[in-house]
Amino acid sequence: MAHKKGVGSSRNGRTSNPKYLGLKKFGGERVQAGNIIARQRGTRWHAGTNVRRANDDTLFALVDGVVTFEWKDKGRKKISVFPESAASA
């Protein structure tokens, strides 16, 4: 006979909080300086013009402007922000 009650397993009881990774601003969208463009682990997207990478690989805008996605090289994308005056010209 079993000496333990048949209670549900507690092995699945661990959960972690969501990290809310991914793109926060998309191509063609206006951003202000300091706005977070992408939250990521590692460099899925690389920092382009007027964009910097934070310690946790988050990409953020340095200037007010419009977000653009470009190819850095084959297989790697970069995100840039161009001022609206330059983007419209």
Side-chain angles (χ1 to χ4, degrees):
M1 279 182 82
H3 291 280
K4 289 189 176 182
K5 277 185 159 181
V7 186
S9 171
S10 64
R11 279 189 287 177
N12 296 331
R14 297 170 307 279
T15 57
S16 60
N17 294 328
K19 302 303 175 215
Y20 302 105
L21 301 176
L23 288 173
K24 306 302 175 190
K25 303 289 182 183
F26 299 92
E29 213 170 323
R30 289 193 181 108
V31 291
Q32 293 179 338
N35 278 169
I36 292 176
I37 301 170
R39 307 234 324 124
Q40 58 185 348
R41 294 290 171 262
T43 49
R44 177 172 178 178
W45 302 286
H46 294 261
T49 310
N50 297 322
V51 173
R52 286 290 179 267
R53 184 176 65 87
N55 288 338
D56 64 349
D57 298 317
T58 295
L59 299 180
F60 61 94
L62 291 176
V63 298
D64 296 354
V66 178
V67 176
T68 346
F69 284 79
E70 306 167 312
W71 287 103
K72 184 171 185 168
D73 52 38
K74 187 175 180 179
R76 296 203 295 178
K77 285 213 157 189
K78 68 179 179 178
I79 301 176
S80 298
V81 173
F82 293 109
E84 290 203 52
S85 58
S88 61

